[in-house]
Amino acid sequence: MTQILPADARAIARAVEILHAGGLVAFPTETVYGLGADAGNPAAVARIYAAKRRPGFNPLIAHVAEAAAALREAELPTAAQTLAAHFWPGPLTLVASIAKTCGVCDLARAGLASVALRAPAHPVAQALLAAFGQPIAAPSANRSGYVSPVTAAHVVADLAGKVDLILDGGRTPAGLESTIVSFIGPEPTLLRPGALPRSEIEAALGTRLATPRDASIVAPGMTAAHYAPAARLRLAAQGLEEDEYGLDFGGQLAAEAPAGRIVDDLSPGGDTTEAAAKLFAALRDIDARGLAKVAIAPIPNDGLGEAINDRLRRAVAG
Ligand code: TXA
Ligand code: MG
């Protein structure tokens, strides 16, 4: 049975009980909803993989309340600590070697000697982490291979019956997963573009971020077909073909499209932050309407455009 509660103090206390008992709690972060379990409890973490039907055991992000807690889990190099000081709590995940005191279980790390850590900024996530007092392992709360959930209703659609409690905190503000930076190699590497733009991270570091040669090896969860809706998507479309609907950006497709064929505009004003917040709900809506073919307007690569275009390429590969 899945319980859905408004994320007030009583619901958070209930969530903490469930986590201590090895159960699963879905909760809002500033990026997307997470499917959380006690990161130190392998039986609880195994339930995450089962609920999501994840192929294999991709490593999960361990969520912590603050940088001090992250230092117990990982050997964060100075540059990583600089980023934590700048951007935590916030939509940035840091990958580093595990510390001797690391409490994140092997299964949550998929057996790696590294761990991915993030201190989320959402008040509900903050309250839950503070009350639980231990790292919470949480991937996005969607079934594996589908788009990440940005509302409690999306979590229900994907995971009803498989999660003990959903804390409903409304729609998540950023709408796109966190940016992941790895400190495992010789230089800081952008494993996944996300809700914190590359440019801000590079400004804080004073260096460019490296790009991994093969992201599917470095970040095992980043398989190409990872955000795939059922509809067939065509990217950077200049116009609509006969049997296509359009997902617009900045009104580029609307001018030439037949009436009623533009399903939505991710940002009429051409703002990539607004478009990121709307992206996953728009993709779910396309499937909910049963549309077979959708053309998506070109989206510039600046700001959050890099992460949006990354997710759209994966959506097409699926
Ligand atoms: O915004 C987010 O990051 C959301 C919210 C819930 O925090 N979480 C999320 O988790 O997107 P998930 O599991 O869907 O994506 C985590 C990514 C995966 O691609 C995984 O491979 C990578 O993080 N990852 C985790 N641990 C890693 C590690 N030790 N080394 C490299 N990549 C790692
Ligand atoms: Mg995910």
Side-chain angles (χ1 to χ4, degrees):
M1 247 278 289
T2 297
Q3 225 187 339
I4 305 159
L5 295 174
D8 57 16
R10 275 187 60 187
I12 285 170
R14 177 78 194 112
V16 168
E17 287 174 7
I18 290 171
L19 291 173
H20 278 305
L24 301 186
V25 174
F27 62 96
T29 79
E30 72 276 34
T31 59
V32 301
Y33 275 73
L35 177 62
D38 177 353
N41 178 343
V45 171
R47 290 191 62 204
I48 292 180
Y49 292 115
K52 284 191 61 116
R53 298 175 184 278
R54 272 208 169 183
F57 294 135
N58 297 323
L60 309 176
I61 295 172
H63 296 72
V64 293
E66 54 186 5
L71 287 169
R72 288 195 288 275
E73 309 303 327
E75 305 281 354
L76 292 183
T78 312
Q81 293 188 43
T82 300
L83 293 186
H86 257 84
F87 300 113
W88 281 1
L92 172 68
T93 295
L94 301 173
V95 175
S97 301
I98 52 174
K100 284 200 184 69
T101 49
C102 182
V104 179
C105 68
D106 271 327
L107 185 57
R109 292 182 284 103
L112 298 174
S114 58
V115 61
L117 295 163
R118 167 162 119 80
H122 195 288
V124 172
Q126 278 281 316
L128 181 64
L129 286 161
F132 187 56
Q134 300 289 332
I136 297 176
S140 49
N142 51 281
R143 64 183 155 81
S144 189
Y146 201 52
V147 294
S148 293
V150 300
T151 66
H154 293 163
V155 181
V156 173
D158 278 19
L159 298 175
K162 294 176 178 154
V163 46
D164 299 298
L165 172 63
I166 299 171
L167 293 172
D168 187 349
R171 184 181 273 256
T172 62
L176 207 62
E177 302 87 348
S178 63
T179 303
I180 305 180
V181 176
S182 171
F183 288 87
I184 295 299
E187 48 193 351
T189 302
L190 182 67
L191 294 189
R192 177 175 77 181
L196 183 66
R198 171 203 287 269
S199 55
E200 289 188 35
I201 300 168
E202 291 178 339
L205 281 176
T207 58
R208 303 297 302 272
L209 288 168
T211 306
R213 288 213 185 82
D214 185 347
S216 67
I217 290 170
V218 191
M222 297 285 292
T223 49
H226 213 72
Y227 295 83
R232 169 117 55 89
L233 306 179
R234 187 166 63 86
L235 305 187
Q238 302 295 332
L240 298 190
E241 283 166 13
E242 218 162 86
D243 52 351
E244 280 181 333
Y245 285 79
L247 179 58
D248 215 345
F249 178 87
Q252 297 172 86
L253 298 173
E256 305 285 323
R261 294 271 286 282
I262 300 297
V263 291
D264 205 350
D265 191 320
L266 290 174
S267 173
D271 171 20
T272 52
T273 302
E274 182 188 7
K278 282 180 78 173
L279 179 68
F280 290 151
L283 293 179
R284 281 176 182 265
D285 184 49
I286 283 166
D287 280 354
R289 295 191 203 194
L291 307 180
K293 293 186 182 175
V294 175
I296 301 181
I299 293 167
N301 234 10
D302 57 56
L304 296 188
E306 182 180 12
I308 295 171
N309 285 318
D310 169 79
R311 301 304 186 277
L312 286 174
R313 278 193 300 275
R314 292 173 200 284
V316 169

